[in-house]
Amino acid sequence: MDHFPTIIIGGGPAGLMAAISGGGPETLLIEGGPKPGRKLLTTAAGQCNFTHEGTVPELLARYNGKERFLRPALFSFTNENLIAFFNERGIPSFVDEKGRYLPRSLSARDILHALINEAREKGTRFHQNDRVISVEKTDSGFRVITKLKEFSCEKLIIATGGRSFPKTGSTGEGARFARELGHSIVPLRPALTGVESDVFTLTSLAGLSFEEAGVEVFRQGKLAGRYKGNLLITHKGLSGPVVIDNSRDFREGDRLNLNFCGQNREKVNQKWSEELKEEGKQGIGSFMKNLGLPRKLIGELLGVIPPEKSLSQMTKGERKKLLGEMTEYPFSLDRLQGWNKAMVTTGGVETKEINPKTMESRLVPGLYFAGEVMDIDGDSGGFNLQAAFSTGFLAGMSLRKSVKE
Ligand SMILES: Cc1cc2nc3c(=O)[nH]c(=O)nc-3n(C[C@H](O)[C@H](O)[C@H](O)COP(=O)(O)OP(=O)(O)OC[C@H]3O[C@@H](n4cnc5c(N)ncnc54)[C@H](O)[C@@H]3O)c2cc1C
């Protein structure tokens, strides 16, 4: 059995950054895939949106209530530190109109090379193409068993990622290792994903997006959430930031009410009454266009009603139906897009059992966690990679400090 003082399982952004901040010749990084960072290469369609602009407190608000847990990590390695890290290694970046940071080369490969080179320079040894199948606690540390070999170590960092995009090597096994070592696991669910419906009638409008749409979520008849933002119609359902960023709160069987107008039913109704008084001859089509609705949607919602039909000619029933469809269009959520489409995993190793100041397990001394294997997930826009880098950095640093002490 080969012995290394430190072993890191997982060569994603979290594991690589842990190797950089805490590793050295005494560290072995085990990556199950043929190469590290395969998921990183898929990020932002290969362009790698690695962080987001804003102060650390602003960033912390984007992690689904995990602000307190992530605070020490994000302060120990901030978005500015990350931008500088890549800049110093010849990868300048820019911020786009949405506040997302990307490398100027728009190449995730550049980002990955910088990480691997830096980890190698620090002396980290890589053992690739061999998955860890189990981890056991021993008197002096841990036994790490892979398909082909067996290793022992004193300190262990689990950085195996979540379960989404399993073809990149992230299959959720880290949660199993953590459970076998005594940790609680918050059930894993796909997040940052679109939603599908078998009965959605607007799929012919796939590609249409609405800047300030509203989404109300009803569960067993009760309002369970209310969201606002950019909504996209797809061939099978819905996507866009308002759906993707809040998908962690959605469940199969939910009914979503879609508001395409950006103002509520009462306001639109009031506008209708005002227009009727002032300009009753106005066609219903032009009224809807003035509400900001796109032509294709207007046609779809009007159905057999001609767009020239004046507001004063519209019947009470037609008015009620149209108001409902513009501001509360029903969508039955049959399924969230699954693990092959979701960008992140919500759930994972229970964060209450991890010391946020060190990333060390509160239950098993010498065991550390980094990245998405923990129950942390952020909004889209670079927050997830920032969390992977910051927690990886902190885990590596704390481990190194603990060895020196
Ligand atoms: C399509 C897509 C686009 C995305 N775009 C963005 C974006 O633009 N910005 C952003 O911030 N986030 C984005 N994300 C999310 C982001 O990629 C992840 O949050 C991030 O990669 C998590 O890093 P990690 O190191 O924790 O885990 P991962 O990147 O998943 O890495 C874990 C590594 O561990 C290895 N591993 C797993 N199990 C074992 C085992 N048993 N033995 C050995 N090795 C193992 C895996 O092979 C993998 O290489 C995107 C995700 C996807 C799927």
Side-chain angles (χ1 to χ4, degrees), residues 127-343:
H127 176 74
Q128 293 172 189
N129 226 352
D130 185 17
R131 294 188 80 76
V132 172
I133 49 175
S134 75
V135 176
E136 292 163 13
K137 182 81 189 86
T138 62
D139 290 343
S140 55
F142 303 88
R143 182 180 299 127
V144 177
I145 301 157
T146 67
K147 276 190 176 159
L148 307 176
K149 292 190 77 154
E150 218 174 298
F151 300 94
S152 62
C153 62
E154 283 124 45
K155 308 266 178 187
L156 178 67
I157 300 182
I158 299 185
T160 44
R163 243 191 94 181
S164 69
F165 269 58
K167 60 180 178 229
T168 62
S170 319
T171 55
E173 280 163 302
R176 173 169 63 81
F177 305 151
R179 195 179 53 233
E180 286 167 4
L181 289 168
H183 276 272
S184 321
I185 305 299
V186 177
L188 311 188
R189 282 187 295 111
L192 292 192
T193 180
V195 295
E196 296 181 353
S197 170
D198 295 329
V199 290
F200 187 42
T201 42
L202 297 181
T203 48
S204 59
L205 306 181
L208 266 196
S209 70
F210 302 85
E211 210 40 63
E212 273 297 290
V215 177
E216 283 181 335
V217 181
F218 289 87
R219 191 162 303 145
Q220 285 156 358
K222 285 197 185 129
L223 184 67
R226 191 177 270 144
Y227 310 92
K228 210 164 192 185
N230 189 293
L231 175 79
L232 174 72
I233 295 181
T234 67
H235 291 289
K236 291 189 174 169
L238 304 171
S239 184
V242 68
V243 169
I244 291 193
D245 284 343
N246 300 303
S247 54
R248 63 170 84 88
D249 298 336
F250 299 168
R251 301 285 179 278
E252 281 182 17
D254 283 351
R255 194 191 76 227
L256 311 187
N257 275 359
L258 311 177
N259 183 335
F260 301 111
C261 299
Q263 39 193 322
N264 66 26
R265 184 181 177 131
E266 289 67 42
K267 283 216 174 109
V268 178
N269 190 29
Q270 200 185 329
K271 240 184 203 162
W272 188 312
S273 300
E274 285 164 10
E275 292 287 319
L276 192 60
K277 257 194 212 154
E278 284 169 22
E279 220 188 327
K281 283 192 188 135
Q282 184 186 172
I284 178 65
S286 101
F287 173 71
M288 290 168 83
K289 193 162 167 260
N290 290 341
L291 288 172
L293 299 182
R295 194 174 44 81
K296 275 187 180 169
L297 179 72
I298 296 174
E300 194 68 33
L301 297 187
L302 283 178
V304 292
I305 303 172
E308 304 78 34
K309 187 167 179 178
S310 68
L311 290 180
S312 53
Q313 287 172 323
M314 293 287 286
T315 66
K316 258 191 184 168
E318 285 170 336
R319 175 169 172 169
K320 194 172 166 205
K321 182 168 172 285
L322 260 187
L323 279 171
E325 290 184 338
M326 289 191 287
T327 59
E328 292 164 359
Y329 199 95
F331 179 94
S332 316
L333 197 160
D334 287 317
R335 72 199 75 82
L336 290 155
Q337 288 182 317
W339 292 114
N340 291 330
K341 294 264 171 72
M343 276 188 271

Side-chain angles (χ1 to χ4, degrees), residues 10 12-14 31-32 43-44 49 131-132 161 169-170 173 343 372 382 384-385:
E31 166 54 49
T43 56
N49 159 216
R131 294 188 80 76
V132 172
S170 319
E173 280 163 302
M343 276 188 271
E372 215 183 297
N384 287 292
L385 283 175

Side-chain angles (χ1 to χ4, degrees), residues 75-94:
F75 270 108
S76 76
F77 193 68
T78 66
N79 50 350
E80 294 199 348
N81 296 144
L82 186 58
I83 294 160
F85 173 89
F86 289 123
N87 205 21
E88 284 156 16
R89 282 152 190 85
I91 306 174
S93 52
F94 71 97

